[in-house]
Amino acid sequence: MARPVIVGAIVIASLARAHATPGTDPTVGRAVFTGATSEHATSLELDPAALALGTFDEVYVAATSVIDQISIDRKQLDLATGTFSNGARVRDTEIGPGVAVGAIWHALGRVTLGGSIVTPPSEQFVSNQSALGYHSLGGYQRDLRFSAGFGVHVNSSFQFGFSLTFDNAHLRLQYLRDTALEHGHGPNGVDSDCNGAPCGVENPAAAEKYDIDVQQPVSFKVGYIVNLGFVVKLVEDVFLGVAYHTPPGGSIQTELTGQARITGAPRDGAYVSSGEATVYVSYPASVDAEVRARIAPELDLHVGGRWIDLSRLYAYDVRIYGSGVLGKGFPEWTERPRGLHDTFALWGGVEQVDTHIERLRFGARVGIESSGTYTARTSPMTIAPTSLTADVGAQLRLSGSLVAQLTYGIQYYPTVSVGKSAFDPRERLDCIDAGYDYSTTACQAVREGYAIPTAAGDYGKIEHAFRLGVAYSY
């Protein structure tokens, strides 16, 4: 019965506009009907070994969406007194779709082939909020992924899988630079004139606007991700699946190139300059694992987890160059911190067994994810305290071969209060006063990108994730 499956699809990657934790897709893995032991099209990237567990060829199409609700109550720093007062109250919602198209083909007896085109929900930064501009005025990371691989049914107790994902990343960063703060207490510094008063910190007259738009080159050498996995049958109806995913290209850093557009501060004439830009990013590796066990004739227990090496993504290393920006006082090198560290997620729940004849099928999971950053490093760019997750899903068999699946997940991030922020403009002033002595802690903060306007305040976030998929199996 097995035969080739040809899937044609037009996918517009630029439509994917959602906000998600870097390196994750909240609609896959912890979501119902997916996982490292699920014979599903999404397993091609998650754990390709699981493809070999099934016996049906399948064509799968899905629309995904992530809605992020973010609340930030900023604290404002008074340079003269060193005290904080209540600042802007920001409420931001980011919403947008993603797309997935995939196919599974049991081609060669023990070998199952798979292919997919995916635009996962992208990470969308808080946008159009001038009160947060020194951290984020907007931007995103979007990815377009092409995957191909196979799962091998070695014997009744062991499956092995391998797939390659070609990832093309598009990163956009928009932010402000405080030109008065950059000059310290010297000429054009915080004590200089801005519309008849000392500039201080975060004065709109001294705000320089940056728009960095870069993309990963289309190249096998820099864009490939290796997914290696296995599934072991521990005892009857109990399976363990584990998969490892390398960083793109298996390298320490990924280089994205493109354009920089800089709008000068109003006090400097608000002129516009354009140049070239390169951003170096260290994307994370990750590991997925899951145990699936039959606990009733028609009910499976799923317990899964994920580790993500997010400590690699500590900052965006931004370089600006070219004749259009040369000699105009723009920094050639800037660190835009994320302040991330490794995360661990754990979830568990139950699903009805897929017998391929049932009309309706349901499942649910709950979980917890460790924090992605320290409280002091929380900022509008990175809100990632320890969070709780809950996912539910339903499947409707429209005909013998056609199935529709809908899953919904919520991730709740409790409000985190940042009193002493790692982002402190006083560090830049102290570093300049010390003559840029980089042995000091103040100059270390400058070098790492933390010596900018404070990120003190209260941060909250709720993330909603949806996946509506249709699968045709035969």
Side-chain angles (χ1 to χ4, degrees):
M1 293 290 293
R3 58 188 184 274
V5 176
I6 300 175
V7 180
I10 298 175
V11 180
I12 304 176
S14 62
L15 290 179
R17 291 178 57 87
H19 189 94
T21 303
T24 68
D25 179 348
T27 71
V28 172
R30 77 165 205 240
V32 178
F33 308 137
T34 68
T37 61
S38 297
E39 53 269 30
H40 193 270
T42 56
S43 296
L44 182 64
E45 289 188 54
L46 195 65
D47 184 359
L51 299 177
L53 292 172
T55 57
F56 289 88
D57 295 343
E58 180 180 272
V59 178
Y60 178 75
V61 179
T64 61
S65 181
V66 172
I67 301 174
D68 236 30
Q69 296 176 293
I70 297 172
S71 64
I72 301 175
D73 294 337
R74 277 203 73 196
K75 298 295 184 182
Q76 206 76 26
L77 173 64
D78 186 319
L79 274 184
T81 63
T83 59
F84 291 90
S85 59
N86 292 332
R89 298 179 74 249
V90 174
R91 301 296 181 265
D92 186 68
T93 300
E94 302 292 342
I95 181 173
V99 178
V101 179
I104 300 172
W105 176 34
H106 295 273
L108 305 170
R110 293 179 178 271
V111 179
T112 303
L113 302 180
S116 67
I117 305 172
V118 178
T119 60
S122 61
E123 185 180 16
Q124 181 76 28
F125 307 130
V126 177
S127 59
N128 300 318
Q129 302 289 342
S130 58
L132 311 177
Y134 295 95
H135 298 274
S136 173
L137 274 179
Y140 47 79
Q141 174 160 327
R142 301 170 180 163
D143 295 81
L144 175 60
R145 297 177 179 173
F146 300 86
S147 298
F150 60 86
V152 180
H153 185 84
V154 179
N155 55 45
S156 60
S157 298
F158 185 76
Q159 285 77 32
F160 167 78
F162 170 88
S163 67
L164 279 177
T165 298
F166 296 91
D167 182 40
N168 183 253
H170 182 189
L171 176 67
R172 190 170 184 183
L173 301 173
Q174 296 174 300
Y175 55 90
L176 299 177
R177 173 175 174 258
D178 191 333
T179 58
L181 179 62
E182 294 288 332
H183 287 90
H185 290 289
N188 295 320
V190 294
D191 303 315
S192 63
D193 179 76
C194 281
N195 297 325
C199 289
V201 176
E202 298 188 52
N203 194 307
E208 199 169 66
K209 183 179 178 180
Y210 286 72
D211 187 348
I212 311 296
D213 194 342
V214 292
Q215 192 160 358
Q216 189 173 337
V218 180
S219 169
F220 175 83
K221 293 182 179 180
V222 299
Y224 70 90
I225 297 170
V226 176
N227 307 294
L228 287 170
F230 65 85
V231 176
V232 177
K233 182 180 178 181
L234 302 177
V235 295
E236 190 65 28
D237 292 325
V238 178
F239 298 87
L240 167 66
V242 178
Y244 173 72
H245 317 283
T246 68
S251 60
I252 296 175
Q253 285 188 321
T254 299
E255 180 180 309
L256 296 87
T257 58
Q259 303 297 314
R261 181 182 173 88
I262 306 170
T263 304
R267 69 171 183 173
D268 298 325
Y271 52 84
V272 177
S273 300
S274 297
E276 298 174 74
T278 297
V279 178
Y280 295 93
V281 188
S282 295
Y283 289 116
S286 63
V287 174
D288 282 280
E290 183 180 68
V291 173
R292 170 164 61 94
R294 187 67 47 82
I295 58 175
E298 297 182 357
L299 201 64
D300 277 346
L301 171 69
H302 290 256
V303 177
R306 176 181 290 144
W307 163 75
I308 305 178
D309 184 17
L310 281 177
S311 57
R312 289 168 49 88
L313 212 170
Y314 58 88
Y316 296 118
D317 187 337
V318 181
R319 312 294 175 95
I320 299 172
Y321 49 93
S323 58
V325 296
L326 206 61
K328 295 184 177 181
F330 306 132
E332 295 181 9
W333 168 63
T334 305
E335 289 282 284
R336 301 295 298 173
R338 296 302 306 270
L340 292 160
H341 58 65
D342 292 8
T343 62
F344 299 87
L346 182 67
W347 56 82
V350 294
E351 292 178 12
Q352 289 180 284
V353 176
D354 188 359
T355 62
H356 296 279
I357 59 173
E358 73 288 332
R359 175 70 171 171
L360 290 170
R361 178 179 170 224
F362 300 96
R365 300 178 186 180
V366 295
I368 185 170
E369 183 174 326
S370 67
S371 68
T373 189
Y374 300 108
T375 297
R377 293 182 176 180
T378 298
S379 74
M381 284 284 287
T382 309
I383 306 171
T386 298
S387 58
L388 302 174
T389 63
D391 293 80
V392 295
Q395 173 179 297
L396 173 64
R397 188 165 295 278
L398 303 173
S399 68
S401 300
L402 191 62
V403 168
Q405 292 179 343
L406 175 63
T407 64
Y408 165 74
I410 185 171
Q411 187 162 8
Y412 170 65
Y413 299 82
T415 298
V416 57
S417 295
V418 182
K420 183 174 175 54
S421 175
F423 296 87
D424 192 335
R426 293 171 294 185
E427 302 278 24
R428 184 172 296 277
L429 298 177
D430 291 345
C431 177
I432 295 173
D433 290 344
Y436 292 100
D437 179 358
Y438 281 99
S439 66
T440 65
T441 57
C443 288
Q444 181 179 347
V446 171
R447 186 170 59 251
E448 294 178 352
Y450 286 100
I452 63 175
T454 183
D458 298 328
Y459 295 80
K461 184 168 73 169
I462 298 176
E463 183 177 88
H464 309 270
F466 301 86
R467 174 177 283 262
L468 175 61
V470 177
Y472 179 78
S473 58
Y474 52 95

